[in-house]
Amino acid sequence: MYQDEPIRVAYAFRDGAHSFRAADPRTGDVQVAHGLPEIAYEEVTRTLSERVAGRLGAYAQARPQLAFKEFWTWLQMNPIAAMPNTPCHVEFAWEVRP
């Protein structure tokens, strides 16, 4: 079941919350939202690790391809994300290693 390709995770800012969503056969549907972006980012990483480990029956670790600080900097430099009250939807990847 393990595949060596990243899990695609979508980000959006909705209703005052930083929202992450992934739909992958290795994880099922994962949705995480929190008012603080760092907490949401950590939570999606932990949830992906737990889901993959549960499905594999062995330890697995999900790691974002960008550290939170790099992701946040990139997001702030995105002209659409910088506009107040404008939803932004981007996709990026998490790597999973068993």
Side-chain angles (χ1 to χ4, degrees):
M1 181 205 301
Y2 175 76
Q3 301 163 356
D4 195 25
E5 52 189 71
I7 294 172
R8 306 301 295 177
V9 178
Y11 166 84
F13 185 76
R14 291 190 191 102
D15 301 323
H18 301 273
S19 174
F20 293 89
R21 183 167 189 256
D24 187 283
R26 294 165 287 179
T27 62
D29 191 37
V30 171
Q31 293 182 310
V32 172
H34 197 280
L36 296 174
E38 299 93 335
I39 292 175
Y41 204 77
E42 290 172 12
E43 179 70 20
V44 75
T45 300
R46 186 177 66 227
T47 302
L48 291 173
S49 294
E50 290 170 357
R51 290 282 186 90
V52 173
R55 289 181 181 233
L56 287 176
Y59 174 80
Q61 183 177 15
R63 284 188 230 178
Q65 289 183 337
L66 292 176
F68 173 77
K69 190 173 182 176
E70 293 169 331
F71 164 73
W72 192 247
T73 299
W74 175 85
L75 194 63
Q76 297 303 309
M77 295 174 82
N78 182 314
I80 295 171
M83 295 174 65
N85 300 318
T86 302
C88 178
H89 185 270
V90 295
E91 281 195 359
F92 53 103
W94 256 256
E95 296 175 334
V96 179
R97 298 285 174 218

